[in-house]
Amino acid sequence: RHAVCIFYLVLRALDTIEDDMTISLDVKVPMLHEFHSYLYQPEWKYMESKEKDRQVLEDFPTISMEFRNLSKVYQDVISDICHKMGVGMAEFLEKKVDSQHEWDKYCHYVAGLVGIGLSRLFSASELEDPIVGQDTELANSMGLFLQKTNIIRDYLEDQLEGREFWPREVWSRYAKKLSDLAKPENIDMAVQCLNELITNALHHVPDVLTYLSRLKNQSVFNFCAIPQVMAIATLAACYNNKQVFRGVVKIRKGQAVTLMMDATNIQAVKAIMYQYVEEIYQKIPSTDPSSNKTQQVIASIRTMSLPGGPMASRHHYSPIYLSCAMLLAALSWQYLSTISKATEEYVQAGEN
């Protein structure tokens, strides 16, 4: 618990530096490269940030002290991931995401590395087998699936804030500028571009299912599975949906709570994945340029998701334990909903 908490706060501090547009590149790039070393400097802090999360930089000595109190095995994982992520963030500060390969690379730096780091922490704690931390390809896919879902869903919000994360290689086939996709006269091409990116993201689902099938600890399973089922539900809501270019597309709170309560074992997660890829399949337009690819990736997910498929089922857990876990999940969801409210209001104001 402490290692995951400190890992989160360290990466939140790193991300705050990356996001702060008031820091000049000649200052920011060296900071990102060296950030991992600040973990071992008891006095280091940064007081010049204008970002909303600047407290993690201003109070960094508190975070770094707790970091140094962790077991060395945890420190090594956090420091290593922090170093790699800082270098990757610096690389993409001065260039946009061009090819699909670079899209995967960017998502690896900002999310895949988080999945790899968490997996190494799970194994280091001995709550999970060593293979969970060693199989970096599967752990990377866990992060990429979540990050690509967020990037796809947040098209309009990112446009309003001057950020671009959709890969040029894809959107340039549908528009001259990424911002053109938001124009009403381009909506048909915009939706085709959206569908192609969702198809790309769906290719990570088989890896996600394989990863989750290896987990043994119930708390770790819930922690990993809940965001993944939220992501597939979000993609199903976004697929072939013009609203992505007009406002915020999100799953309902009741739907989210149901997913949290259900996603407690691998068979349930497979059933959820099956349900949502079927929903996408029913919406595939025959004229969509990506329709064949979408059908193919859904076929591969179906094969893994069918009852009695290639992955063993997990045993059941006591109702009292699950009730406590679900209460915690519901409270967490309420917290996340609250902190995202300001962002939604901003996007809606932009619409109006």
Side-chain angles (χ1 to χ4, degrees):
R1 183 186 64 189
H2 288 175
V4 171
C5 174
I6 297 303
F7 188 33
Y8 169 78
L9 290 173
V10 167
L11 297 187
R12 169 56 59 208
L14 180 63
D15 193 51
T16 302
I17 289 173
E18 184 207 21
D19 286 345
D20 195 332
M21 303 307 289
T22 68
I23 306 174
S24 63
L25 284 182
D26 59 337
V27 173
K28 186 184 289 191
V29 170
M31 282 180 73
L32 292 173
H33 278 274
E34 297 300 320
F35 195 83
H36 67 289
S37 69
Y38 303 152
L39 292 167
Y40 299 98
Q41 298 176 30
E43 305 303 319
W44 188 88
K45 58 186 174 183
Y46 186 72
M47 306 299 292
E48 312 300 320
S49 178
K50 304 295 189 291
E51 286 290 297
K52 66 181 188 303
D53 293 328
R54 60 185 177 274
Q55 186 183 354
V56 289
L57 295 172
E58 295 171 352
D59 291 344
F60 198 75
T62 305
I63 297 170
S64 66
M65 179 183 70
E66 293 295 340
F67 166 82
R68 292 188 299 277
N69 285 336
L70 295 173
S71 300
K72 186 177 184 301
V73 66
Y74 294 143
Q75 289 186 38
D76 290 347
V77 171
I78 294 170
S79 176
D80 179 51
I81 297 297
C82 190
H83 186 196
K84 290 172 179 171
M85 188 177 290
V87 170
M89 286 176 165
E91 178 184 332
F92 277 91
L93 277 180
E94 300 180 88
K95 68 176 183 181
K96 291 188 176 180
V97 179
D98 200 15
S99 65
Q100 292 185 67
H101 172 72
E102 283 185 337
W103 197 37
D104 281 357
K105 194 176 182 183
Y106 172 76
C107 292
H108 164 73
Y109 285 140
V110 300
L113 283 172
V114 180
I116 291 168
L118 285 168
S119 300
R120 288 167 62 186
L121 293 178
F122 298 152
S123 293
S125 69
E126 299 185 358
L127 291 172
E128 299 296 345
D129 290 339
I131 187 63
V132 172
Q134 291 164 359
D135 196 334
T136 55
E137 191 171 334
L138 292 189
N140 188 60
S141 281
M142 293 283 285
L144 263 61
F145 187 58
L146 300 183
Q147 186 67 19
K148 287 182 177 182
T149 298
N150 289 342
I151 287 172
I152 290 165
R153 180 199 60 200
D154 293 341
Y155 166 84
L156 192 63
E157 179 186 334
D158 287 337
Q159 281 293 304
L160 291 172
E161 297 189 8
R163 299 189 300 251
E164 294 191 353
F165 298 113
W166 284 25
R168 176 186 295 271
E169 181 185 341
V170 176
W171 65 253
S172 63
R173 293 199 289 271
Y174 302 93
K176 289 183 179 178
K177 293 186 298 183
L178 183 56
S179 58
D180 289 345
L181 295 178
K183 296 178 179 177
E185 62 268 26
N186 297 329
I187 193 63
D188 291 340
M189 296 296 277
V191 169
Q192 289 178 6
C193 181
L194 169 71
N195 291 348
E196 182 173 344
L197 290 181
I198 290 175
T199 301
N200 176 297
L202 289 173
H203 281 89
H204 298 294
V205 173
D207 278 357
V208 167
L209 291 173
T210 302
Y211 180 97
L212 293 173
S213 73
R214 290 176 174 172
L215 300 180
K216 296 180 176 179
N217 180 275
Q218 184 69 58
S219 293
V220 172
F221 186 88
N222 291 356
F223 181 81
C224 294
I226 289 172
Q228 302 293 332
V229 295
M230 296 291 188
I232 192 69
T234 300
L235 289 183
C238 289
Y239 185 81
N240 210 49
N241 189 348
K242 298 175 181 179
Q243 191 61 26
V244 171
F245 303 96
R246 297 169 178 163
V248 182
V249 174
K250 59 179 183 178
I251 56 178
R252 302 182 311 279
K253 284 190 175 69
Q255 185 182 2
V257 171
T258 300
L259 288 170
M260 289 177 178
M261 294 184 70
D262 289 348
T264 57
N265 62 78
I266 189 60
Q267 293 300 338
V269 170
K270 285 161 64 176
I272 291 167
M273 292 288 188
Y274 188 94
Q275 171 194 336
Y276 284 110
V277 297
E278 283 301 308
E279 189 177 307
I280 292 171
Y281 185 84
Q282 296 302 322
K283 293 193 286 189
I284 299 174
S286 58
T287 55
D288 191 272
S290 304
S291 60
N292 286 341
K293 287 183 179 178
T294 311
Q295 290 167 353
Q296 286 169 12
V297 68
I298 286 176
S300 67
I301 296 168
R302 278 175 175 159
T303 302
M304 293 189 74
S305 302
L306 287 170
M311 294 178 292
S313 66
R314 297 163 54 82
H315 53 282
H316 295 285
Y317 295 84
S318 75
I320 291 175
Y321 180 92
L322 291 180
S323 296
C324 292
M326 290 312 102
L327 176 61
L328 179 60
L331 289 170
S332 300
W333 175 252
Q334 185 60 47
Y335 171 73
L336 290 170
S337 299
T338 302
I339 61 173
S340 67
K341 188 178 179 183
T343 302
E344 291 172 20
E345 288 172 352
Y346 176 80
V347 174
Q348 286 162 3
E351 263 191 282
N352 297 333

